[in-house]
Amino acid sequence: MATDFGDESGEKLFDWMLRVGQEAGQEALAKSAEGLAEAIRSTCASIEKSEGSGGAAAKTTEWAKLSMREFEDLPEYETLADMISSQLKKEGVEHAFANEGGKRFLVFKAKETPSVARAFRRIEESIPEACERAKGVLAKGEPLKERAARARAAAEQIAQKADKPREIEIAQARAK
């Protein structure tokens, strides 16, 4: 499915929406998607505000930190953080997530602020399509447990194939 979006962050966005939707239904999916879009808009406004202050902070400070408070209030925060990280990597932004005083922050080089804003906007732009796709999958009714079972089975097959050369090596060594 990652090829449907062309990148890993798009697939993570879709998976997040699908899990939220399966757990609470299509109404919750739409509400969570709107919550994510609002958190992104708010984050972009914060970034633009810091850029609008003449960029003095970016000139005097090497690192910037962005509060992730609004994202923490959404379901599956860790998945959202992974999705944001994937998009930031795609933009070439060096970053990390940090905890400070019980709060979570995105830390990045201040000079990369425009790229951070661009990454968040790209995520926001992909929300409607991912939401519609997740609603379509929900309408088909494949439960998360079944999807997880299929993923586990596929992972086991891959692991077994990876172990085959090792098993052959062991058998050949024993035969000698």
Side-chain angles (χ1 to χ4, degrees), residues 118-148:
R118 198 169 32 254
F120 277 98
R121 284 191 190 97
R122 285 202 173 118
I123 293 169
E124 182 184 10
E125 290 167 0
S126 65
I127 290 172
E129 180 186 345
C131 187
E132 288 306 310
R133 286 195 63 231
K135 284 180 181 178
V137 171
L138 281 176
K140 292 178 184 174
E142 181 183 22
L144 182 59
K145 288 179 184 176
E146 289 178 20
R147 189 166 180 231

Side-chain angles (χ1 to χ4, degrees), residues 11 13 33 38 48 63 86 106 109 132 141 149-150:
E11 182 60 23
L13 174 62
E38 184 56 40
E48 289 164 0
W63 294 94
S86 292
L106 171 64
K109 288 186 176 181
E132 288 306 310
R150 281 190 304 109

Side-chain angles (χ1 to χ4, degrees), residues 23-87:
E23 290 173 9
Q26 289 190 12
E27 186 176 322
L29 186 149
K31 183 178 177 184
S32 292
E34 182 53 38
L36 176 60
E38 184 56 40
I40 290 172
R41 284 190 289 272
S42 176
T43 299
C44 287
S46 295
I47 292 170
E48 289 164 0
K49 183 178 174 186
S50 71
E51 285 180 311
S53 63
K59 292 174 187 167
T60 60
T61 308
E62 188 174 344
W63 294 94
K65 69 179 182 181
L66 187 61
S67 173
M68 298 301 289
R69 183 190 56 77
E70 292 187 63
F71 294 93
E72 289 178 299
D73 295 339
L74 295 169
E76 303 246 354
Y77 170 80
E78 293 302 325
T79 302
L80 292 174
D82 284 347
M83 174 194 56
I84 292 166
S85 184
S86 292
Q87 190 63 40

Side-chain angles (χ1 to χ4, degrees), residues 157-171:
Q157 286 179 341
I158 291 169
Q160 287 173 354
K161 286 179 184 175
D163 288 343
K164 289 289 183 197
R166 180 76 180 128
E167 290 172 11
I168 292 169
E169 262 180 49
I170 293 168

